[in-house]
Amino acid sequence: RAKATFMQDQIMIQSSSNTTTTPNHDTTKLNDAAKDLLTLLSIDKSNKDATLLLQTIRARHGVLQQQTADATTPVSQTLSTIQNATQLTQVIHHLKVLLGLLHNDDNTISTSMEFGRKGGVSQMMKLVQQQEHQYNIHNDTNEKEEGVQSSSFDATITISKMRTLALQVLACACSNPPFVWTYCGPKQQQQQQQ
C-alpha cells in the first residue's frame, strides 16, 4: 500500500508540472500528494524517498505561489496591459500609472526590482523606439484649409509623450542602485542584445 501511494504521488507531481493545467489545479494535486505522503511518513518515518518527494512538493508549491502572486501585482498587471495595448492613449495612461507605482510606493526598491524581473527595462526601451504606425491613433481633428493642426502632428506629439514617459519610468527605476546593478549593467545589456 505504501509503495502504491508513493508511485501515485510521483505521477501526480509529474502531471502537476504540465503546462496545460491551471495553477489552482496544480496546487490541488500537490496538496493531495502531500497529504498522502504525510500519511505514509506517519506510518514509516524512515522512508527517505517519501521525504525527498515531500520536499519536492513543498518546493514546487512555493514556486506556484510565487508565480501566482507575481502575476497579480500592480506592476505586473500594468506592464502586461502596456504590452497588450492597441491604443496609444492606453499606453500613455498605464505608463503614468507605472510611474506613480515606482515613484510613490512605500517600498520603491522592491517595486523597481519587480519592474526589472518582469522585463520592464526592455519593454520601456521598445516603447522609446516605437514608430507611429504601431498604434491606433484616434484624433477628432481634421485638416482644414485654415491650418488647424493635422492628425500626423498630433500623433507625433503623442508618440513623443509616450517616449518621454517611458524614459521617466526608466529613470525612476534607475534611482535605486540595486536595480541598476542588477538590470542595467553591461552584462544585462549584452543579454538583451542577443
Side-chain angles (χ1 to χ4, degrees):
R1 173 160 160 61
K3 209 171 218 181
T5 301
F6 180 76
M7 297 297 272
Q8 180 183 3
D9 290 341
Q10 278 186 319
I11 292 169
M12 202 177 304
I13 291 168
Q14 289 173 351
S15 69
S16 75
S17 63
N18 186 352
T19 57
T20 61
T21 60
T22 63
N24 289 337
H25 187 261
D26 290 347
T27 302
T28 304
K29 282 185 173 185
L30 290 175
N31 287 339
D32 291 344
K35 286 177 189 175
D36 290 344
L37 287 172
L38 287 171
T39 304
L40 177 63
L41 287 170
S42 69
I43 297 168
D44 181 12
K45 293 179 183 7
S46 64
N47 191 331
K48 292 180 182 179
D49 291 333
T51 304
L52 287 173
L53 192 56
L54 185 60
Q55 289 173 349
T56 303
I57 289 172
R58 288 180 176 154
R60 188 162 298 156
H61 187 68
V63 168
L64 280 173
Q65 283 183 322
Q66 183 64 37
Q67 288 173 346
T68 304
D70 281 351
T72 59
T73 62
V75 172
S76 178
Q77 290 176 341
T78 304
L79 284 172
S80 177
T81 303
I82 290 170
Q83 186 172 8
N84 298 326
T86 57
Q87 300 287 326
L88 197 54
T89 54
Q90 290 174 333
V91 174
I92 289 172
H93 170 75
H94 288 287
L95 283 171
K96 289 177 183 177
V97 170
L98 187 57
L99 189 59
L101 288 170
L102 289 166
H103 184 68
N104 294 326
D105 195 20
D106 292 334
N107 198 352
T108 305
I109 293 174
S110 69
T111 303
S112 296
M113 296 302 279
E114 181 185 358
F115 170 75
R117 275 193 315 275
K118 296 293 180 182
V121 174
S122 61
Q123 194 172 346
M124 293 303 114
M125 292 307 294
K126 286 177 185 174
L127 289 176
V128 169
Q129 298 167 356
Q130 289 289 335
Q131 301 297 318
E132 292 178 21
H133 60 82
Q134 292 173 316
Y135 290 102
N136 292 331
I137 300 170
H138 292 288
N139 193 350
D140 294 334
T141 61
N142 295 324
E143 285 191 60
K144 294 184 180 177
E145 293 177 18
E146 298 174 5
V148 175
Q149 290 182 339
S150 70
S151 62
S152 65
F153 179 73
D154 290 342
T156 303
I157 290 174
T158 308
I159 292 288
S160 176
K161 189 175 190 177
M162 179 192 67
R163 290 176 179 156
T164 302
L165 283 169
L167 288 172
Q168 286 176 340
V169 167
L170 283 172
C172 190
C174 287
S175 67
N176 299 300
F179 175 84
V180 175
W181 297 326
T182 307
Y183 298 105
C184 299
K187 288 181 184 177
Q188 287 72 27
Q189 290 174 357
Q190 289 174 356
Q191 288 175 352
Q192 289 176 1
Q193 290 174 356
Q194 293 176 354

